[in-house]
């Protein structure tokens, strides 16, 4: 069923989505019931790795890193990570892909194929500052023809905070995944902060290697960190992406690799918008164990995530 959300008040902007089982998909997605059924039939292998994140949180980047680590190589893949997103409707092709497979999903844990949960496949849960996510998704969906987004940044931010955008809300997604980690301690789920990985890629990629139980030398991890910096990936993927996906975006240009920085949101948020956003974050996330350092301690140069019991404990 198609739905159109309009930004409230005098804010300009609206977005049209296709709703199925409470999820908001691009309007052009065909036969969602069939795709959902095929998704659940996916037979995961024990060595499959699944990267789970809210959209625009760094999936494509981390997919490259994990693929390199699994194959013990520093060469960037010629594949497009989007091909391996479970809900993208290519289940039959994914089933036939050579192992080990690095898969991705923007869905909740309970909606992943049953086989992934039964076999306790390793899951990497990527978290990024929602302000950066909001800005990145605004630019992406503005250029995505099928999203039908028309409006201003302020209008988009209004809908983003309400979860009335493609793939629903960041807050709900992040809270549900934390609940999964708490309720399923035996499942191998690794939390990766986008900001931490940008700040110290070698350390975070080494932690990834250890989580995946791989024997990758430090020298290889260092080279992987160097070869997966934003400019390198953008250069390597541009021709492939433009050829395969360019036509679905305004100007026939693939906008995925835009800036890749962790603080570009500062050039979009006004001081008032940021103050209001931080207060909303505190109100909605105060019970979460994983907190964002950039909001918990905004005057610090530190970034990433911090483990705590309540937000107030960091004041």
């Amino acid at each position: 069923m198609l739905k159109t959300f309009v930004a409230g008040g005098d804010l300009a902007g609206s977005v049209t989505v296709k709703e199925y089982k409470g999820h908001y998909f691009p309007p052009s997605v065909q036969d969602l019931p069939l795709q959902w059924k095929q998704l659940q039939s996916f037979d995961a292998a024990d060595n499959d790795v699944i990267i789970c994140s809210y959209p625009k949180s760094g999936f494509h980047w981390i997919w490259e890193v994990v693929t390199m680590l699994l194959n013990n190589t520093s060469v960037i893949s010629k594949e497009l990570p989007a091909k391996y997103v479970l809900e993208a409707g290519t289940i039959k092709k994914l089933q036939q892909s050579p192992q080990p497979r690095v898969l991705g999903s923007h869905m909740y844990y309970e909606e992943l194929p049953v086989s992934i949960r039964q076999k306790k496949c390793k899951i990497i849960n990527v978290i990024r500052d929602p302000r950066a996510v909001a800005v990145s998704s605004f630019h992406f969906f503005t250029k995505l023809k099928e999203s039908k987004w028309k409006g201003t940044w302020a209008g988009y931010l209004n809908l983003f905070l309400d979860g009335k955008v493609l793939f629903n809300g960041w807050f709900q997604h992040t809270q549900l995944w934390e609940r999964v980690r708490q309720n399923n301690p035996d499942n191998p789920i690794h939390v990766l902060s986008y900001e931490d990985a940008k700040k110290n890629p070698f350390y975070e990629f080494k932690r990834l290697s250890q989580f995946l139980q791989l024997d990758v030398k430090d020298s290889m991890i260092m080279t992987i960190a160097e070869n997966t910096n934003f400019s390198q990936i953008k250069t390597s993927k541009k021709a492939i992406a433009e050829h395969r996906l360019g036509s679905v975006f305004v100007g026939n240009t693939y906008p995925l690799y835009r800036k890749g920085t962790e603080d570009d949101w500062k050039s979009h948020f006004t001081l008032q918008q940021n103050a209001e956003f931080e207060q909303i974050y505190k109100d909605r996330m105060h019970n979460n164990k994983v907190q964002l350092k950039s909001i918990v301690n905004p005057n610090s140069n530190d970034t990433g995530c911090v483990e705590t019991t309540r937000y107030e404990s960091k004041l």
Side-chain angles (χ1 to χ4, degrees):
M1 179 176 68
L2 290 178
K3 279 189 172 183
T4 297
F5 298 117
V6 180
D10 58 354
L11 299 176
S14 65
V15 61
T16 299
V17 301
K18 180 175 284 187
E19 182 182 17
Y20 183 71
K21 289 186 177 291
H23 287 275
Y24 302 148
F25 295 93
S28 64
V29 176
Q30 301 296 315
D31 204 342
L32 280 168
L34 176 61
Q35 288 196 27
W36 201 273
K37 182 178 179 179
Q38 291 177 342
L39 176 69
Q40 292 307 317
S41 70
F42 179 76
D43 185 18
D46 292 334
N47 61 353
D48 281 340
V49 178
I50 299 87
I51 301 172
C52 296
S53 67
Y54 187 80
K56 312 308 296 175
S57 296
F59 162 71
H60 289 74
W61 177 37
I62 301 304
W63 185 91
E64 298 288 349
V65 173
V66 174
T67 298
M68 289 179 172
L69 289 172
L70 285 176
N71 293 287
N72 200 21
T73 179
S74 59
V75 179
I76 296 176
S77 169
K78 293 183 180 180
E79 297 275 15
L80 286 181
K83 171 184 175 181
Y84 293 91
V85 175
L86 287 166
E87 57 268 33
T90 56
I91 295 300
K92 292 183 179 179
K93 291 182 180 180
L94 287 182
Q95 199 72 72
Q96 299 168 357
S97 300
Q99 300 176 17
R101 296 174 293 209
V102 183
L103 308 172
S105 179
H106 301 315
M107 297 186 300
Y108 307 133
Y109 176 79
E110 292 78 9
E111 296 163 343
L112 294 174
V114 175
S115 60
I116 288 177
R117 291 176 276 141
Q118 288 179 337
K119 296 181 179 181
K120 291 182 169 57
C121 295
K122 289 184 174 62
I123 294 175
I124 300 167
N125 184 200
V126 185
I127 300 176
R128 187 182 186 185
D129 188 321
R131 294 168 297 191
V133 172
V135 169
S136 183
S137 59
F138 166 69
H139 285 285
F140 185 79
F141 294 133
T142 295
K143 294 181 180 179
L144 183 65
K145 294 177 183 177
E146 63 185 10
S147 74
K148 301 184 183 301
W149 167 255
K150 302 293 181 184
T152 63
W153 154 245
Y156 183 84
L157 179 60
N158 175 267
L159 293 176
F160 180 87
L161 286 168
D162 288 340
K164 295 178 178 178
V165 291
L166 291 174
F167 304 106
N168 305 71
W170 181 93
F171 292 95
Q172 180 184 23
H173 190 279
T174 305
Q175 289 170 332
L176 287 176
W177 268 100
E178 175 159 308
R179 193 178 307 162
V180 166
R181 297 194 300 271
Q182 293 174 343
N183 296 339
N184 300 272
D186 295 334
N187 284 28
I189 303 177
H190 176 80
V191 178
L192 176 70
S193 160
Y194 178 95
E195 283 76 18
D196 282 345
K198 291 290 291 187
K199 183 178 181 180
N200 194 341
F202 171 78
Y203 175 74
E204 293 301 327
F205 297 168
K206 187 175 179 65
R207 289 181 64 231
L208 267 181
S209 178
Q210 293 169 343
F211 168 71
L212 297 171
Q213 297 178 306
L214 301 174
D215 184 19
V216 182
K217 293 182 178 179
D218 285 358
S219 58
M220 175 61 76
I221 295 176
M222 182 62 74
T223 305
I224 289 175
E226 294 171 352
N227 289 356
T228 56
N229 68 66
F230 182 78
S231 60
Q232 288 276 79
I233 292 182
K234 183 174 183 178
T235 300
S236 298
K237 297 290 184 178
K238 183 175 175 57
I240 302 173
E242 298 289 353
H243 174 68
R244 298 184 190 176
L245 298 173
S247 62
V248 302
F249 296 97
V250 175
N252 297 324
T253 301
Y254 189 52
L256 184 66
Y257 305 103
R258 192 178 64 90
K259 285 193 174 182
T261 58
E262 60 268 33
D263 59 356
D264 183 51
W265 62 267
K266 295 178 181 178
S267 64
H268 290 73
F269 276 77
T270 65
L271 290 175
Q272 181 178 349
Q273 286 174 340
N274 186 52
E276 292 175 351
F277 195 103
E278 288 189 356
Q279 187 58 54
I280 290 172
Y281 180 94
K282 297 173 189 178
D283 292 342
R284 298 185 187 179
M285 305 293 286
H286 70 281
N287 283 323
N288 275 49
K289 184 178 180 182
V290 173
Q291 295 288 343
L292 292 165
K293 298 175 187 174
S294 54
I295 296 180
V296 170
N297 189 8
N299 294 319
S300 169
N301 291 325
D302 209 354
T303 58
C305 297
V306 63
E307 297 269 341
T308 183
T309 54
R310 289 181 63 84
Y311 176 86
E312 287 82 3
S313 68
K314 299 301 295 183
L315 295 179

